[in-house]
Amino acid sequence: MNDVMAVILGHLDPDTAANRMALQWMVSRQITCARTGVVLDVRQAVACTIRDKDGGHVLCLVVEAAYWDANRAVVDDLAAEINGTVEVLDGRVLFAD
């Protein structure tokens, strides 16, 4: 069953469905991890967007989960330097069975 049908039938929250589709789109556009070059699997991919204090887009990365886990602090530090926020779409959470 696709995400749209799952939302219609009440099996999936609309926000989760939208986030899943957004991550799928990002992975399909990038194909490989922005830092390691490994081919991405949406269920093991993490997309992070850093926004400045005014809500402007500063940086968006799509990386493999292992890289994300090892380097999350770097992203948080960068966001803190510009007084920004980090938005995360984690495929491990979005596609958990």
Side-chain angles (χ1 to χ4, degrees), residues 15-96:
D15 289 334
T16 299
N19 288 336
R20 285 169 62 154
M21 288 186 265
L23 183 59
Q24 288 171 326
W25 180 83
M26 289 179 206
V27 168
S28 74
R29 298 284 296 167
Q30 188 167 312
I31 308 296
T32 59
C33 175
R35 295 296 182 246
T36 66
V38 170
V39 175
L40 293 168
D41 170 0
V42 73
R43 293 176 186 275
Q44 292 295 314
V46 177
C48 72
T49 302
I50 300 175
R51 296 191 185 280
D52 64 17
K53 63 183 175 198
D54 298 323
H57 171 250
V58 175
L59 174 69
C60 183
L61 290 174
V62 183
V63 296
E64 62 177 317
Y67 181 85
W68 175 252
D69 291 342
N71 294 284
R72 170 73 196 251
V74 174
V75 172
D76 290 336
D77 290 346
L78 178 59
E81 283 181 29
I82 63 169
N83 196 25
T85 59
V86 179
E87 299 168 11
V88 177
L89 297 177
D90 190 330
R92 298 169 295 181
V93 174
L94 294 171
F95 292 95

